[in-house]
Amino acid sequence: MNSTTHARPLIAEAEALLHIADDRLIRRFKIKNKGKLRDVNDPVPELKTLLKEWNVSITDYYVQQLRENGVSHVAHAYLPNRSIQTNARAHLHSPIVQFDFKGFYDSCRFDYFKNALQQLDPSINDQNEDVIKRLLIDPNTGGVTQGLPVSGALAGLSLIPFWVELEKNLPDNVRFTQYSDDLTFSYTGRTPAGFTIPELTQKIYEALKKTGLDFKLNADKTRTQKAQFRKVTGIRINHHNQTTPSREDYRFLRHALYILSKSPDLDKELASWGFASKAAFVGKVSYMRSIDSTGKVDRIIMKYRIACRNHNLFTTWIDSHYKRSAFA
């Protein structure tokens, strides 16, 4: 497989959007999230549609490059069959050291992934690259615009040389993964020499320097986790090395289903818990089920299966569970 498999006329497609002024391509605004203001970037429909199409080709090429460079095991964000859960499961049986890249997308420059885009469209050159840059780069930061359909894959493509270089300079039993801006280390077997924050920090910066990438670590978010309960990209790992939702989520689910076993008014209860719809509630619980390796979420649902049936919640799963049990 080569890059022509994923080829796209990127320049020609980008030129088709030249009628849209630069400052109208993306609506940029702030929303409050957990008491903090967060930047949101919303591409105009024409641009969003185009970038979704580009993302198919770019992600296919990204997967190919991960495989050819031997670092498919490192990347877990914005890829088929990869998630925060697969990222966490790579680090079940050892202490963990975690790093966070500061201003991750802001630091991801066009030059870091320009070569990858040229592999998809060889017509890209220094004279016409601005036609594409205006669609991808935030003029306020000089880095890739966060939240675009292609942002994750472009950032990943940028990091491949760094991952290759870093892996070469780590002990054989040290493993690391990256999910967006989170870089996580663990090990197998005996504790390797140099498995400390200072020494891993040095190796990270050495690899970044050697590959010409100007990313920075956020020292305030660097941490070591050795306790029975660890957390990787928001997923908890318990003392049995199983991935689980938080205690708070378990308690919420048990309480919610108990209330629903007594209440006939689903909409009223959902509103009191801050859910805009039944779909939002089902989505939260489905996510909890997807990361729960203990079966505890399923057991809670089965305990309150009558309430779930009464409110038409998780009935397909409950029915299939009983069907499997009958033929077990």
Side-chain angles (χ1 to χ4, degrees):
M1 187 185 292
N2 57 50
S3 60
T4 58
T5 308
H6 318 298
R8 286 195 71 95
L10 301 178
I11 287 293
E13 292 175 332
E15 287 175 340
L17 297 186
L18 284 173
H19 65 282
I20 305 174
D22 290 2
D23 61 356
R24 295 187 176 275
L25 283 167
I26 298 174
R27 188 167 66 99
R28 306 176 193 274
F29 56 96
K30 295 181 183 291
I31 62 171
K32 186 168 284 190
N33 183 34
K34 296 180 180 178
K36 296 182 179 179
L37 287 176
R38 184 170 67 89
D39 291 323
V40 174
N41 301 303
D42 184 28
V44 296
E46 286 177 89
L47 176 57
K48 186 178 293 186
T49 298
L50 177 61
L51 293 183
K52 284 181 178 178
E53 294 172 359
W54 282 12
N55 195 48
V56 175
S57 299
I58 292 171
T59 298
D60 284 347
Y61 181 68
Y62 178 28
V63 170
Q64 174 191 330
Q65 291 303 300
L66 287 169
R67 185 167 54 247
E68 290 182 0
N69 286 277
V71 288
S72 294
H73 56 288
V74 173
H76 287 262
Y78 314 110
L79 289 166
N81 304 313
R82 296 292 178 91
S83 65
I84 58 173
Q85 186 177 16
T86 61
N87 187 59
R89 285 181 172 172
H91 303 284
L92 294 180
H93 298 282
S94 89
I96 291 166
V97 178
Q98 288 183 289
F99 297 90
D100 175 87
F101 280 22
K102 188 174 184 179
F104 180 55
Y105 290 102
D106 294 347
S107 302
C108 189
R109 308 298 177 184
F110 184 79
D111 286 345
Y112 296 173
F113 52 81
K114 176 180 174 179
N115 182 66
L117 297 181
Q118 287 175 322
Q119 294 300 310
L120 301 179
D121 184 356
S123 72
I124 298 173
N125 56 48
D126 293 345
Q127 283 68 50
N128 62 20
E129 65 181 39
D130 284 345
V131 175
I132 289 183
K133 285 177 72 172
R134 67 192 286 267
L135 307 183
L136 304 177
I137 299 300
D138 187 332
N140 298 319
T141 67
V144 69
T145 299
Q146 185 170 354
L148 301 183
V150 295
S151 299
L154 293 175
L157 279 164
S158 301
L159 287 168
I160 287 176
F162 162 69
W163 293 333
V164 171
E165 185 63 28
L166 180 59
E167 189 160 68
K168 287 194 304 188
N169 293 295
L170 291 171
D172 291 341
N173 67 330
V174 171
R175 56 196 171 192
F176 69 93
T177 63
Q178 185 140 1
Y179 188 92
S180 191
D181 56 356
D182 290 321
L183 181 60
T184 306
F185 293 80
S186 61
Y187 58 85
T188 57
R190 293 185 177 182
T191 306
F195 194 78
T196 65
I197 287 175
E199 295 203 40
L200 289 173
T201 299
Q202 181 178 346
K203 289 187 180 296
I204 290 168
Y205 276 118
E206 286 174 352
L208 288 171
K209 183 177 181 181
K210 190 160 185 179
T211 52
L213 301 178
D214 190 25
F215 290 98
K216 298 286 190 298
L217 298 177
N218 187 343
D220 293 337
K221 294 187 177 181
T222 301
R223 57 182 179 156
T224 299
Q225 297 186 72
K226 298 181 181 179
Q228 290 182 333
F229 294 99
R230 291 147 285 156
K231 188 177 282 189
V232 179
T233 47
I235 293 183
R236 187 170 171 260
I237 301 173
N238 70 13
H239 58 293
H240 294 301
N241 291 305
Q242 298 167 305
T243 55
T244 77
S246 68
R247 286 192 182 97
E248 292 75 17
D249 279 344
Y250 281 132
R251 282 196 288 266
F252 164 74
L253 179 60
R254 189 180 292 106
H255 170 74
L257 295 185
Y258 171 78
I259 295 297
L260 292 178
S261 72
K262 307 293 183 182
S263 172
D265 194 337
L266 176 63
D267 291 338
K268 173 189 170 185
E269 305 304 339
L270 292 179
S272 71
W273 300 327
F275 290 98
S277 64
K278 183 169 86 169
F281 175 72
V282 170
K284 176 180 174 65
V285 179
S286 297
Y287 168 74
M288 290 170 60
R289 286 190 64 227
S290 75
I291 65 173
D292 183 29
S293 301
T294 70
K296 191 172 180 179
V297 171
D298 288 351
R299 289 193 294 273
I300 294 172
I301 293 173
M302 291 305 294
K303 180 179 178 179
Y304 292 100
R305 61 188 177 275
I306 295 175
C308 289
R309 287 187 189 281
N310 289 340
H311 293 288
N312 194 25
L313 295 167
F314 319 115
T315 53
T316 301
W317 176 79
I318 292 170
D319 290 344
S320 68
H321 178 82
Y322 270 116
K323 188 174 182 179
R324 287 197 306 271
S325 299
F327 291 96

mmCIF file of all heavy atoms in Angstrom, residues 170-207:
data_model
loop_
_atom_site.group_PDB
_atom_site.id
_atom_site.type_symbol
_atom_site.label_atom_id
_atom_site.label_comp_id
_atom_site.label_asym_id
_atom_site.label_seq_id
_atom_site.Cartn_x
_atom_site.Cartn_y
_atom_site.Cartn_z
ATOM 1 N N LEU A 170 14.220 4.032 25.082
ATOM 2 C CA LEU A 170 13.639 3.542 26.331
ATOM 3 C C LEU A 170 14.011 2.073 26.537
ATOM 4 O O LEU A 170 14.222 1.337 25.568
ATOM 5 C CB LEU A 170 12.116 3.675 26.289
ATOM 6 C CG LEU A 170 11.542 5.088 26.313
ATOM 7 C CD1 LEU A 170 10.042 5.048 26.039
ATOM 8 C CD2 LEU A 170 11.808 5.761 27.652
ATOM 9 N N PRO A 171 14.074 1.627 27.792
ATOM 10 C CA PRO A 171 14.296 0.193 28.040
ATOM 11 C C PRO A 171 13.214 -0.650 27.371
ATOM 12 O O PRO A 171 12.079 -0.187 27.189
ATOM 13 C CB PRO A 171 14.205 0.090 29.570
ATOM 14 C CG PRO A 171 14.534 1.455 30.069
ATOM 15 C CD PRO A 171 14.000 2.412 29.037
ATOM 16 N N ASP A 172 13.552 -1.891 27.021
ATOM 17 C CA ASP A 172 12.628 -2.740 26.276
ATOM 18 C C ASP A 172 11.319 -2.994 27.011
ATOM 19 O O ASP A 172 10.297 -3.230 26.370
ATOM 20 C CB ASP A 172 13.292 -4.088 25.954
ATOM 21 C CG ASP A 172 14.416 -3.948 24.930
ATOM 22 O OD1 ASP A 172 14.427 -2.918 24.219
ATOM 23 O OD2 ASP A 172 15.258 -4.851 24.849
ATOM 24 N N ASN A 173 11.363 -2.973 28.354
ATOM 25 C CA ASN A 173 10.133 -3.298 29.083
ATOM 26 C C ASN A 173 9.308 -2.071 29.456
ATOM 27 O O ASN A 173 8.326 -2.187 30.188
ATOM 28 C CB ASN A 173 10.441 -4.112 30.344
ATOM 29 C CG ASN A 173 11.210 -3.312 31.388
ATOM 30 O OD1 ASN A 173 11.976 -2.416 31.052
ATOM 31 N ND2 ASN A 173 11.002 -3.642 32.646
ATOM 32 N N VAL A 174 9.681 -0.903 28.932
ATOM 33 C CA VAL A 174 8.865 0.303 29.130
ATOM 34 C C VAL A 174 7.937 0.463 27.937
ATOM 35 O O VAL A 174 8.354 0.344 26.787
ATOM 36 C CB VAL A 174 9.747 1.562 29.279
ATOM 37 C CG1 VAL A 174 8.887 2.819 29.261
ATOM 38 C CG2 VAL A 174 10.538 1.500 30.564
ATOM 39 N N ARG A 175 6.674 0.718 28.212
ATOM 40 C CA ARG A 175 5.712 0.944 27.148
ATOM 41 C C ARG A 175 5.103 2.332 27.335
ATOM 42 O O ARG A 175 4.979 2.824 28.459
ATOM 43 C CB ARG A 175 4.621 -0.130 27.163
ATOM 44 C CG ARG A 175 3.904 -0.233 28.484
ATOM 45 C CD ARG A 175 3.124 -1.520 28.622
ATOM 46 N NE ARG A 175 2.633 -1.679 29.980
ATOM 47 C CZ ARG A 175 2.128 -2.789 30.466
ATOM 48 N NH1 ARG A 175 2.047 -3.854 29.709
ATOM 49 N NH2 ARG A 175 1.694 -2.852 31.708
ATOM 50 N N PHE A 176 4.730 2.940 26.238
ATOM 51 C CA PHE A 176 4.066 4.239 26.346
ATOM 52 C C PHE A 176 2.989 4.335 25.287
ATOM 53 O O PHE A 176 3.053 3.692 24.232
ATOM 54 C CB PHE A 176 5.064 5.398 26.229
ATOM 55 C CG PHE A 176 5.681 5.566 24.862
ATOM 56 C CD1 PHE A 176 5.120 6.420 23.922
ATOM 57 C CD2 PHE A 176 6.844 4.881 24.522
ATOM 58 C CE1 PHE A 176 5.689 6.584 22.674
ATOM 59 C CE2 PHE A 176 7.426 5.041 23.280
ATOM 60 C CZ PHE A 176 6.847 5.893 22.348
ATOM 61 N N THR A 177 1.970 5.116 25.597
ATOM 62 C CA THR A 177 0.889 5.377 24.655
ATOM 63 C C THR A 177 0.582 6.862 24.688
ATOM 64 O O THR A 177 0.939 7.567 25.632
ATOM 65 C CB THR A 177 -0.396 4.606 25.019
ATOM 66 O OG1 THR A 177 -0.875 5.048 26.296
ATOM 67 C CG2 THR A 177 -0.157 3.107 25.043
ATOM 68 N N GLN A 178 -0.084 7.319 23.647
ATOM 69 C CA GLN A 178 -0.515 8.710 23.625
ATOM 70 C C GLN A 178 -1.971 8.771 23.197
ATOM 71 O O GLN A 178 -2.400 8.143 22.231
ATOM 72 C CB GLN A 178 0.332 9.558 22.675
ATOM 73 C CG GLN A 178 -0.019 11.043 22.732
ATOM 74 C CD GLN A 178 1.195 11.948 22.674
ATOM 75 O OE1 GLN A 178 2.322 11.511 22.567
ATOM 76 N NE2 GLN A 178 0.948 13.249 22.747
ATOM 77 N N TYR A 179 -2.758 9.547 23.974
ATOM 78 C CA TYR A 179 -4.143 9.838 23.627
ATOM 79 C C TYR A 179 -4.278 11.352 23.606
ATOM 80 O O TYR A 179 -4.272 11.997 24.651
ATOM 81 C CB TYR A 179 -5.125 9.223 24.639
ATOM 82 C CG TYR A 179 -6.549 9.358 24.177
ATOM 83 C CD1 TYR A 179 -7.145 8.339 23.435
ATOM 84 C CD2 TYR A 179 -7.292 10.512 24.430
ATOM 85 C CE1 TYR A 179 -8.446 8.470 22.968
ATOM 86 C CE2 TYR A 179 -8.580 10.651 23.965
ATOM 87 C CZ TYR A 179 -9.159 9.628 23.234
ATOM 88 O OH TYR A 179 -10.439 9.774 22.761
ATOM 89 N N SER A 180 -4.348 11.918 22.396
ATOM 90 C CA SER A 180 -4.382 13.367 22.235
ATOM 91 C C SER A 180 -3.161 13.973 22.931
ATOM 92 O O SER A 180 -2.037 13.658 22.582
ATOM 93 C CB SER A 180 -5.701 13.936 22.762
ATOM 94 O OG SER A 180 -5.862 15.288 22.394
ATOM 95 N N ASP A 181 -3.364 14.806 23.957
ATOM 96 C CA ASP A 181 -2.217 15.448 24.601
ATOM 97 C C ASP A 181 -1.696 14.681 25.810
ATOM 98 O O ASP A 181 -0.785 15.154 26.482
ATOM 99 C CB ASP A 181 -2.571 16.885 25.006
ATOM 100 C CG ASP A 181 -3.802 16.954 25.901
ATOM 101 O OD1 ASP A 181 -4.432 15.907 26.144
ATOM 102 O OD2 ASP A 181 -4.136 18.062 26.350
ATOM 103 N N ASP A 182 -2.250 13.499 26.102
ATOM 104 C CA ASP A 182 -1.827 12.700 27.257
ATOM 105 C C ASP A 182 -0.826 11.628 26.837
ATOM 106 O O ASP A 182 -1.136 10.773 25.993
ATOM 107 C CB ASP A 182 -3.027 12.021 27.917
ATOM 108 C CG ASP A 182 -3.936 13.008 28.623
ATOM 109 O OD1 ASP A 182 -3.403 13.949 29.241
ATOM 110 O OD2 ASP A 182 -5.161 12.852 28.554
ATOM 111 N N LEU A 183 0.349 11.651 27.442
ATOM 112 C CA LEU A 183 1.407 10.678 27.169
ATOM 113 C C LEU A 183 1.619 9.858 28.432
ATOM 114 O O LEU A 183 1.944 10.413 29.488
ATOM 115 C CB LEU A 183 2.692 11.411 26.776
ATOM 116 C CG LEU A 183 3.930 10.591 26.428
ATOM 117 C CD1 LEU A 183 3.674 9.678 25.231
ATOM 118 C CD2 LEU A 183 5.114 11.520 26.150
ATOM 119 N N THR A 184 1.418 8.542 28.357
ATOM 120 C CA THR A 184 1.418 7.680 29.536
ATOM 121 C C THR A 184 2.475 6.592 29.413
ATOM 122 O O THR A 184 2.588 5.951 28.366
ATOM 123 C CB THR A 184 0.033 7.021 29.719
ATOM 124 O OG1 THR A 184 -0.973 8.029 29.739
ATOM 125 C CG2 THR A 184 -0.017 6.224 31.012
ATOM 126 N N PHE A 185 3.217 6.363 30.507
ATOM 127 C CA PHE A 185 4.261 5.344 30.555
ATOM 128 C C PHE A 185 3.940 4.312 31.635
ATOM 129 O O PHE A 185 3.442 4.662 32.715
ATOM 130 C CB PHE A 185 5.616 5.972 30.898
ATOM 131 C CG PHE A 185 6.171 6.890 29.845
ATOM 132 C CD1 PHE A 185 5.725 8.194 29.740
ATOM 133 C CD2 PHE A 185 7.145 6.446 28.958
ATOM 134 C CE1 PHE A 185 6.233 9.049 28.781
ATOM 135 C CE2 PHE A 185 7.667 7.295 27.994
ATOM 136 C CZ PHE A 185 7.201 8.604 27.905
ATOM 137 N N SER A 186 4.268 3.059 31.354
ATOM 138 C CA SER A 186 4.229 2.004 32.365
ATOM 139 C C SER A 186 5.290 0.977 31.967
ATOM 140 O O SER A 186 6.074 1.215 31.051
ATOM 141 C CB SER A 186 2.842 1.368 32.447
ATOM 142 O OG SER A 186 2.491 0.764 31.219
ATOM 143 N N TYR A 187 5.318 -0.158 32.633
ATOM 144 C CA TYR A 187 6.335 -1.154 32.291
ATOM 145 C C TYR A 187 5.827 -2.552 32.599
ATOM 146 O O TYR A 187 4.809 -2.744 33.283
ATOM 147 C CB TYR A 187 7.651 -0.883 33.035
ATOM 148 C CG TYR A 187 7.536 -0.873 34.539
ATOM 149 C CD1 TYR A 187 7.602 -2.058 35.277
ATOM 150 C CD2 TYR A 187 7.381 0.320 35.240
ATOM 151 C CE1 TYR A 187 7.507 -2.039 36.664
ATOM 152 C CE2 TYR A 187 7.278 0.344 36.618
ATOM 153 C CZ TYR A 187 7.349 -0.850 37.324
ATOM 154 O OH TYR A 187 7.244 -0.837 38.694
ATOM 155 N N THR A 188 6.544 -3.545 32.092
ATOM 156 C CA THR A 188 6.259 -4.936 32.403
ATOM 157 C C THR A 188 7.456 -5.507 33.165
ATOM 158 O O THR A 188 8.596 -5.080 32.963
ATOM 159 C CB THR A 188 6.033 -5.764 31.125
ATOM 160 O OG1 THR A 188 7.191 -5.650 30.272
ATOM 161 C CG2 THR A 188 4.822 -5.264 30.366
ATOM 162 N N GLY A 189 7.184 -6.472 34.056
ATOM 163 C CA GLY A 189 8.279 -7.102 34.798
ATOM 164 C C GLY A 189 8.844 -6.186 35.864
ATOM 165 O O GLY A 189 8.124 -5.424 36.509
ATOM 166 N N ARG A 190 10.150 -6.256 36.019
ATOM 167 C CA ARG A 190 10.824 -5.470 37.054
ATOM 168 C C ARG A 190 10.851 -3.985 36.712
ATOM 169 O O ARG A 190 10.869 -3.608 35.542
ATOM 170 C CB ARG A 190 12.266 -5.962 37.237
ATOM 171 C CG ARG A 190 12.367 -7.366 37.819
ATOM 172 C CD ARG A 190 13.817 -7.719 38.078
ATOM 173 N NE ARG A 190 13.954 -9.022 38.708
ATOM 174 C CZ ARG A 190 15.117 -9.563 39.087
ATOM 175 N NH1 ARG A 190 16.244 -8.894 38.848
ATOM 176 N NH2 ARG A 190 15.142 -10.746 39.664
ATOM 177 N N THR A 191 10.893 -3.171 37.764
ATOM 178 C CA THR A 191 10.979 -1.726 37.551
ATOM 179 C C THR A 191 12.265 -1.386 36.807
ATOM 180 O O THR A 191 13.359 -1.715 37.282
ATOM 181 C CB THR A 191 10.969 -0.972 38.893
ATOM 182 O OG1 THR A 191 9.828 -1.370 39.656
ATOM 183 C CG2 THR A 191 10.938 0.530 38.657
ATOM 184 N N PRO A 192 12.177 -0.757 35.643
ATOM 185 C CA PRO A 192 13.384 -0.446 34.874
ATOM 186 C C PRO A 192 14.125 0.753 35.456
ATOM 187 O O PRO A 192 13.540 1.611 36.122
ATOM 188 C CB PRO A 192 12.833 -0.118 33.486
ATOM 189 C CG PRO A 192 11.454 0.386 33.754
ATOM 190 C CD PRO A 192 10.942 -0.350 34.952
ATOM 191 N N ALA A 193 15.400 0.792 35.199
ATOM 192 C CA ALA A 193 16.187 1.959 35.601
ATOM 193 C C ALA A 193 15.692 3.183 34.849
ATOM 194 O O ALA A 193 15.341 3.116 33.676
ATOM 195 C CB ALA A 193 17.661 1.711 35.287
ATOM 196 N N GLY A 194 15.636 4.298 35.559
ATOM 197 C CA GLY A 194 15.245 5.539 34.916
ATOM 198 C C GLY A 194 13.758 5.741 34.773
ATOM 199 O O GLY A 194 13.323 6.654 34.059
ATOM 200 N N PHE A 195 12.956 4.912 35.462
ATOM 201 C CA PHE A 195 11.513 5.095 35.379
ATOM 202 C C PHE A 195 11.079 6.127 36.422
ATOM 203 O O PHE A 195 10.415 5.823 37.414
ATOM 204 C CB PHE A 195 10.775 3.768 35.584
ATOM 205 C CG PHE A 195 9.317 3.820 35.173
ATOM 206 C CD1 PHE A 195 8.960 3.745 33.833
ATOM 207 C CD2 PHE A 195 8.319 3.964 36.123
ATOM 208 C CE1 PHE A 195 7.622 3.804 33.447
ATOM 209 C CE2 PHE A 195 6.977 4.014 35.747
ATOM 210 C CZ PHE A 195 6.632 3.936 34.414
ATOM 211 N N THR A 196 11.505 7.350 36.191
ATOM 212 C CA THR A 196 11.187 8.465 37.080
ATOM 213 C C THR A 196 10.771 9.657 36.234
ATOM 214 O O THR A 196 11.088 9.739 35.034
ATOM 215 C CB THR A 196 12.413 8.878 37.920
ATOM 216 O OG1 THR A 196 13.428 9.385 37.031
ATOM 217 C CG2 THR A 196 12.965 7.704 38.721
ATOM 218 N N ILE A 197 10.082 10.584 36.841
ATOM 219 C CA ILE A 197 9.635 11.775 36.095
ATOM 220 C C ILE A 197 10.811 12.549 35.508
ATOM 221 O O ILE A 197 10.790 12.895 34.316
ATOM 222 C CB ILE A 197 8.754 12.669 36.990
ATOM 223 C CG1 ILE A 197 7.387 12.017 37.189
ATOM 224 C CG2 ILE A 197 8.594 14.064 36.382
ATOM 225 C CD1 ILE A 197 6.474 12.755 38.140
ATOM 226 N N PRO A 198 11.877 12.837 36.279
ATOM 227 C CA PRO A 198 12.989 13.606 35.693
ATOM 228 C C PRO A 198 13.634 12.908 34.500
ATOM 229 O O PRO A 198 13.910 13.560 33.479
ATOM 230 C CB PRO A 198 13.970 13.750 36.860
ATOM 231 C CG PRO A 198 13.114 13.632 38.082
ATOM 232 C CD PRO A 198 12.069 12.629 37.730
ATOM 233 N N GLU A 199 13.875 11.598 34.621
ATOM 234 C CA GLU A 199 14.571 10.911 33.529
ATOM 235 C C GLU A 199 13.681 10.726 32.308
ATOM 236 O O GLU A 199 14.138 10.851 31.170
ATOM 237 C CB GLU A 199 15.119 9.575 34.019
ATOM 238 C CG GLU A 199 16.197 9.748 35.088
ATOM 239 C CD GLU A 199 17.130 8.550 35.194
ATOM 240 O OE1 GLU A 199 17.492 7.991 34.144
ATOM 241 O OE2 GLU A 199 17.495 8.191 36.325
ATOM 242 N N LEU A 200 12.403 10.436 32.513
ATOM 243 C CA LEU A 200 11.492 10.331 31.372
ATOM 244 C C LEU A 200 11.292 11.690 30.716
ATOM 245 O O LEU A 200 11.212 11.787 29.484
ATOM 246 C CB LEU A 200 10.151 9.747 31.817
ATOM 247 C CG LEU A 200 10.155 8.265 32.197
ATOM 248 C CD1 LEU A 200 8.803 7.851 32.778
ATOM 249 C CD2 LEU A 200 10.503 7.383 30.999
ATOM 250 N N THR A 201 11.227 12.748 31.516
ATOM 251 C CA THR A 201 11.112 14.100 30.964
ATOM 252 C C THR A 201 12.294 14.408 30.054
ATOM 253 O O THR A 201 12.131 14.952 28.951
ATOM 254 C CB THR A 201 11.044 15.142 32.100
ATOM 255 O OG1 THR A 201 9.886 14.891 32.907
ATOM 256 C CG2 THR A 201 10.978 16.555 31.550
ATOM 257 N N GLN A 202 13.482 14.059 30.503
ATOM 258 C CA GLN A 202 14.686 14.302 29.703
ATOM 259 C C GLN A 202 14.616 13.545 28.374
ATOM 260 O O GLN A 202 14.929 14.104 27.314
ATOM 261 C CB GLN A 202 15.933 13.882 30.474
ATOM 262 C CG GLN A 202 17.219 14.139 29.707
ATOM 263 C CD GLN A 202 18.461 13.762 30.523
ATOM 264 O OE1 GLN A 202 18.384 13.552 31.724
ATOM 265 N NE2 GLN A 202 19.599 13.684 29.854
ATOM 266 N N LYS A 203 14.192 12.278 28.419
ATOM 267 C CA LYS A 203 14.116 11.489 27.192
ATOM 268 C C LYS A 203 13.064 12.055 26.232
ATOM 269 O O LYS A 203 13.246 12.051 25.011
ATOM 270 C CB LYS A 203 13.814 10.026 27.524
ATOM 271 C CG LYS A 203 14.984 9.300 28.184
ATOM 272 C CD LYS A 203 14.718 7.832 28.348
ATOM 273 C CE LYS A 203 15.891 7.116 29.014
ATOM 274 N NZ LYS A 203 17.115 7.176 28.185
ATOM 275 N N ILE A 204 11.956 12.551 26.785
ATOM 276 C CA ILE A 204 10.912 13.152 25.944
ATOM 277 C C ILE A 204 11.470 14.375 25.219
ATOM 278 O O ILE A 204 11.323 14.515 23.994
ATOM 279 C CB ILE A 204 9.691 13.537 26.798
ATOM 280 C CG1 ILE A 204 8.959 12.284 27.284
ATOM 281 C CG2 ILE A 204 8.735 14.435 26.003
ATOM 282 C CD1 ILE A 204 7.917 12.558 28.351
ATOM 283 N N TYR A 205 12.128 15.263 25.969
ATOM 284 C CA TYR A 205 12.638 16.487 25.339
ATOM 285 C C TYR A 205 13.779 16.191 24.365
ATOM 286 O O TYR A 205 13.920 16.869 23.336
ATOM 287 C CB TYR A 205 13.068 17.488 26.405
ATOM 288 C CG TYR A 205 11.907 18.322 26.923
ATOM 289 C CD1 TYR A 205 11.518 18.285 28.245
ATOM 290 C CD2 TYR A 205 11.191 19.147 26.056
ATOM 291 C CE1 TYR A 205 10.446 19.044 28.714
ATOM 292 C CE2 TYR A 205 10.122 19.915 26.508
ATOM 293 C CZ TYR A 205 9.755 19.852 27.826
ATOM 294 O OH TYR A 205 8.687 20.596 28.273
ATOM 295 N N GLU A 206 14.584 15.193 24.663
ATOM 296 C CA GLU A 206 15.642 14.807 23.725
ATOM 297 C C GLU A 206 15.042 14.324 22.402
ATOM 298 O O GLU A 206 15.522 14.674 21.316
ATOM 299 C CB GLU A 206 16.523 13.718 24.341
ATOM 300 C CG GLU A 206 17.455 14.225 25.431
ATOM 301 C CD GLU A 206 18.211 13.101 26.121
ATOM 302 O OE1 GLU A 206 17.895 11.909 25.853
ATOM 303 O OE2 GLU A 206 19.108 13.399 26.945
ATOM 304 N N ALA A 207 13.980 13.510 22.500
ATOM 305 C CA ALA A 207 13.344 12.989 21.290
ATOM 306 C C ALA A 207 12.652 14.104 20.512
ATOM 307 O O ALA A 207 12.684 14.137 19.276
ATOM 308 C CB ALA A 207 12.349 11.891 21.653
#
